[in-house]
Amino acid sequence: MKKEDFREKAHSVLDEVINHIAEMEKKANDVSDDLKDEYNKKIERLKEIKLDLTKKLDDYEGMTESRWAIVKESFGEFLDKANKAWKDSYGKAASAFKK
């Protein structure tokens, strides 16, 4: 994967996480009281993912080409895991509205 392609993908995932956090925060008041705790935990988990991804992207922006070659595989794996984690968290939290 080229550095620029990776950058675009990473920012796309980050934008999705940010948008879903905002969407979930808007819906937080509509969740039943017995599900509110779990829902808020999911929001907090998404915020942790967002913070971690933001830190990784900051590191990435200052990365030299030679360093990029060394870390691109592990960073790509991190991005894939972060993408899956936020989608899992969002999916579980969104299910609170279906009950």
Side-chain angles (χ1 to χ4, degrees):
M1 177 181 287
K2 293 181 182 179
K3 191 174 178 181
E4 187 57 32
D5 293 339
F6 177 81
R7 181 181 177 277
E8 288 177 19
K9 180 179 177 183
H11 281 283
S12 175
V13 170
L14 181 59
D15 289 344
E16 286 183 56
V17 171
I18 291 168
N19 289 338
H20 285 290
I21 290 170
E23 184 180 320
M24 289 178 68
E25 287 177 333
K26 287 179 187 176
K27 294 178 180 179
N29 291 330
D30 298 332
V31 177
S32 65
D33 289 339
D34 58 325
L35 296 175
K36 223 174 253 260
D37 237 11
E38 183 179 342
Y39 191 80
N40 286 327
K41 286 179 186 176
K42 298 296 180 189
I43 291 173
E44 287 307 311
R45 178 66 185 127
L46 288 173
K47 287 181 179 180
E48 290 171 9
I49 292 168
K50 176 189 152 237
L51 181 62
D52 197 20
L53 185 54
T54 300
K55 286 179 184 177
K56 297 276 189 204
L57 284 171
D58 287 345
D59 289 345
Y60 162 81
E61 294 296 340
M63 199 177 294
T64 63
E65 284 297 323
S66 60
R67 188 166 174 231
W68 165 246
I70 295 169
V71 299
K72 73 178 174 181
E73 184 176 324
S74 63
F75 203 47
E77 289 173 10
F78 165 78
L79 183 60
D80 290 340
K81 287 178 185 177
N83 194 17
K84 182 183 180 335
W86 83 258
K87 286 181 179 179
D88 288 348
S89 290
Y90 178 77
K92 289 176 184 174
S95 69
F97 291 99
K98 295 177 184 175
K99 294 181 179 185

